[in-house]
Amino acid sequence: MKHRLVLFDLDGTLLNTLDDLGAAVNDALKRRNLPLHTREEYMKMVGHGVRNLVIRALPAHLQEDAALVDDTLMDFKTYYTAHIDVYTQPYPGMQKVVETLHRNGVFLAVASNKFQEGTESLVRKFFPAIPFVAVLGNRPGFPLKPDPEIVGEVLRKSGVSRQEAVLVGDSPTDMKTAANGGIESIAVSWGYRPMKGVPGLTVADSAEELLTLL
């Protein structure tokens, strides 16, 4: 294999989680008689952690109300934790990609901006047999991507050099995370951000193509 370590983004890369995220935010908004959002609108909001997702979903004049954000976020997490896998599914072929890499001795990790408990829950459900060297989400005291701290943490846990690592993601945030962390990157085109046509960017259009690139 070309790489000894592959870091995967979760939402929009390994798993299509958008409908469950949107349902959870809409439930929290509905409790407050606030306007709801469509799937397409949520596609533009996700990827920066659930607190930022909740803030973006609130009407503009309420987004700086810290107490309201905290309460809405709490209701979101309660609903989302209980309904985390109603609609969520792996993208076609991604379970095979992960399994094939594991069989070939590649170290695997998940590096997500989703809150830690949700990240761990989904990885356990959809990839139960894979011994990831790290499953890292949004944790108190740790910065979100594109800060490179998450890359450094995975590298330390795996003992792999930067030159042997690659990050696979679906957003500019993921690509910046890889660049900031000094590792290679591959973008996937099936996620929540349009990644085609960016100069100098390696893009996979299918799980099969991604496996070939890796």
Side-chain angles (χ1 to χ4, degrees):
M1 305 297 287
K2 183 178 178 181
H3 304 93
R4 291 187 61 215
L5 169 65
V6 180
L7 295 79
F8 286 102
D9 172 54
L10 188 64
D11 299 47
T13 301
L14 287 174
L15 303 178
N16 188 349
T17 60
L18 186 64
D19 290 325
D20 284 323
L21 288 168
V25 181
N26 275 346
D27 179 79
L29 295 174
K30 186 176 181 180
R31 292 172 183 271
R32 291 160 177 79
N33 295 313
L34 295 173
L36 309 185
H37 298 284
T38 65
R39 187 180 197 277
E40 289 69 28
E41 289 171 325
Y42 280 122
M43 189 174 291
K44 299 175 182 178
M45 299 181 195
V46 297
H48 304 279
V50 293
R51 184 178 184 84
N52 285 321
L53 171 60
V54 167
I55 290 172
R56 292 177 176 190
L58 288 169
H61 68 284
L62 299 176
Q63 291 179 358
E64 295 185 9
D65 186 333
L68 175 63
V69 171
D70 288 342
D71 289 345
T72 307
L73 179 60
M74 184 179 301
D75 283 344
F76 161 84
K77 283 189 174 182
T78 298
Y79 182 97
Y80 186 65
T81 300
H83 304 84
I84 197 168
D85 58 358
V86 174
Y87 303 109
T88 294
Q89 290 292 329
Y91 285 99
M94 289 308 291
Q95 285 173 311
K96 180 181 178 182
V97 168
V98 171
E99 291 165 0
T100 301
L101 292 172
H102 171 56
R103 286 199 305 271
N104 281 273
V106 178
F107 291 106
L108 302 171
V110 171
S112 175
N113 276 347
K114 183 188 289 292
F115 64 103
Q116 183 67 27
E117 298 86 349
T119 301
E120 292 176 352
S121 176
L122 288 173
V123 170
R124 281 196 306 267
K125 177 176 176 60
F126 291 107
F127 306 95
I130 303 300
F132 290 93
V133 296
V135 176
L136 303 179
N138 181 13
R139 298 155 292 159
F142 289 85
L144 293 171
K145 297 182 296 182
D147 190 284
E149 170 58 29
I150 199 167
V151 173
E153 186 173 352
V154 173
L155 292 173
R156 291 191 293 272
K157 288 178 180 291
S158 66
V160 174
S161 70
R162 297 181 190 278
Q163 292 72 28
E164 299 172 299
V166 61
L167 189 152
V168 178
D170 73 307
S171 71
T173 296
D174 293 317
M175 303 302 102
K176 290 177 185 176
T177 304
N180 292 342
I183 65 174
E184 291 184 38
S185 62
I186 298 174
V188 299
S189 63
W190 54 78
Y192 305 145
R193 299 288 186 273
M195 300 300 287
K196 298 283 287 184
V198 179
L201 190 62
T202 301
V203 181
D205 290 325
S206 68
E208 293 76 14
E209 184 178 0
L210 174 61
L211 192 56
T212 298
L213 291 170
L214 292 170

